[in-house]
Amino acid sequence: MIKPCNTHEELDECVALQKLVWKQSSLDIMPRRSFLIANKTGGIVLGVYNNHKNSRVLLGFVLSLAGILPGKSGGIYWHAEMSGIHPDVRNQHIGQQLFCKLRDYALSRNIKLIKYNFDPTEIRNAHIYINRTGSIGRQYSSNHYGLFSSSRDPIPFAGRLHMECWLDSPHTHRCLGLNTSDINRYGTYKPKIIKEVSLPAEIGQWKSTKDKRAIDAYQKLDKHLSEASDQNLSVVGFRKERDGTSVYELGNFNVNDILRCNSFSNNLSYMKKFKNNIHQC
């Protein structure tokens, strides 16, 4: 069951799971107050629950804050600041279901854009975010949060890829696996790949064993993504080679290209199919 977390008790469960997942010091932990403020200022906190011995157990959560786009026209979006899945139930597609449900709630509030960021050395997340949700990596920031005060991991993988998921775009619809017959009438988003940045297949193993080669691989990735961001290139694709090498595909991003299908929002039959797919995701 996926539902909003509103009560103090539910938000406390999210904070406790945050501590379990991230293992950070109290200085880096987001307190219950932050979750409460998100709910009260146009954001949302969603939790994934399972029934166990006649009681609900929190398996995961996502905390989204409300944001305002810059410029005269403005516009509201959600920034998914934090998500966490209990270590015992990872690799069961729970995070993907949670993100799909977040889309569902966003659309119900007429919110068409979700932003978030992630560590690009986490390859499984890259595949889900880019290939499964249709998100675009608009910018990259090196040492985004600064060094955590936690001693959880001495390797500072602090660079973050800043993602945008345009919920009404044909690109996102295609990645969600919808019927493309309707989408093709408006065109799909197929950017030209200008540059590629790769990570070795062993990056996950190196990180888990604190192998110094993980630092070397991260520093190379950080350098290349920083240069690409300076050139206004966006991450528009991701793939894995047969040897396990992960490849980020970069190109020029134009928001007008990805939003060519403005009439989707007014097509009730299409939106009904879209929402049904969200529930099944």
Side-chain angles (χ1 to χ4, degrees):
M1 179 178 65
I2 301 178
K3 63 176 288 293
C5 301
N6 295 314
T7 69
H8 289 174
E9 292 75 15
E10 290 172 339
L11 298 181
D12 285 341
E13 290 177 347
C14 292
V15 174
L17 183 55
Q18 174 193 184
K19 294 178 180 178
L20 175 66
V21 170
W22 296 103
K23 296 181 175 62
Q24 295 170 339
S25 71
S26 58
L27 181 62
D28 299 314
I29 287 292
M30 295 187 70
R32 181 220 289 171
R33 180 186 306 161
S34 298
F35 289 78
L36 184 63
I37 291 173
N39 274 337
K40 298 297 185 181
T41 56
I44 194 170
V45 181
L46 290 181
V48 184
Y49 293 90
N50 191 18
N51 290 323
H52 180 69
K53 295 181 179 180
N54 298 323
S55 63
R56 290 189 317 187
V57 178
L58 182 67
L59 304 180
F61 74 91
V62 60
L63 163 66
S64 290
L65 306 169
I68 301 177
L69 294 171
K72 294 182 179 180
S73 58
I76 304 297
Y77 70 92
W78 273 351
H79 177 80
E81 169 59 24
M82 176 178 290
S83 64
I85 304 297
H86 195 287
D88 293 343
V89 293
R90 287 176 182 166
N91 300 320
Q92 297 183 30
H93 307 292
I94 293 177
Q96 187 175 346
Q97 294 176 46
L98 185 59
F99 200 85
C100 286
K101 194 65 175 180
L102 182 64
R103 279 197 181 91
D104 199 11
Y105 277 96
L107 289 171
S108 71
R109 300 187 186 186
N110 201 33
I111 293 173
K112 304 300 175 67
L113 172 64
I114 293 177
K115 292 187 176 187
Y116 58 95
N117 58 66
F118 79 101
D119 176 359
T121 64
E122 295 295 329
I123 300 306
R124 175 175 170 77
N125 290 344
H127 171 66
I128 292 174
Y129 294 150
I130 299 172
N131 295 333
R132 295 285 181 84
T133 73
S135 299
I136 304 294
R138 292 299 304 275
Q139 291 181 319
Y140 175 79
S141 58
S142 182
N143 195 27
H144 178 60
Y145 291 112
L147 295 178
F148 288 122
S149 61
S150 169
S151 59
R152 174 178 65 92
D153 192 335
I155 302 176
F157 299 96
R160 290 296 182 268
L161 196 56
H162 300 275
M163 311 298 292
E164 293 183 358
C165 185
W166 295 88
L167 306 184
D168 268 347
S169 73
H171 174 65
T172 298
H173 287 234
R174 179 167 56 86
C175 290
L176 286 172
L178 291 171
N179 185 341
T180 58
S181 60
D182 288 339
I183 299 175
N184 288 335
R185 293 191 296 128
Y186 300 95
T188 56
Y189 181 64
K190 297 179 180 178
K192 179 181 178 181
I193 306 303
I194 297 176
K195 183 177 182 179
E196 295 184 344
V197 179
S198 63
L199 271 174
E202 300 83 5
I203 183 64
Q205 178 183 353
W206 291 344
K207 287 182 67 177
S208 63
T209 59
K210 298 179 175 58
D211 191 309
K212 67 180 182 64
R213 287 175 291 184
I215 301 178
D216 296 336
Y218 165 72
Q219 290 177 341
K220 291 179 181 178
L221 177 71
D222 180 79
K223 177 177 181 294
H224 291 311
L225 288 181
S226 294
E227 292 174 350
S229 186
D230 290 340
Q231 298 168 8
N232 293 320
L233 295 178
S234 300
V235 174
V236 295
F238 175 83
R239 73 178 192 274
K240 293 195 73 171
E241 303 286 15
R242 289 184 178 181
D243 62 359
T245 300
S246 298
V247 181
Y248 285 99
E249 302 171 338
L250 297 101
N252 291 316
F253 175 82
N254 188 327
V255 69
N256 293 323
D257 291 339
I258 205 171
L259 291 177
R260 281 185 294 223
C261 178
N262 291 331
S263 59
F264 278 164
S265 60
N266 297 321
N267 188 329
L268 297 181
S269 63
Y270 187 89
M271 287 307 299
K272 182 177 180 180
K273 289 191 294 182
F274 177 61
K275 290 174 73 65
N276 287 338
N277 184 270
I278 288 292
H279 288 296
Q280 297 169 5
C281 190

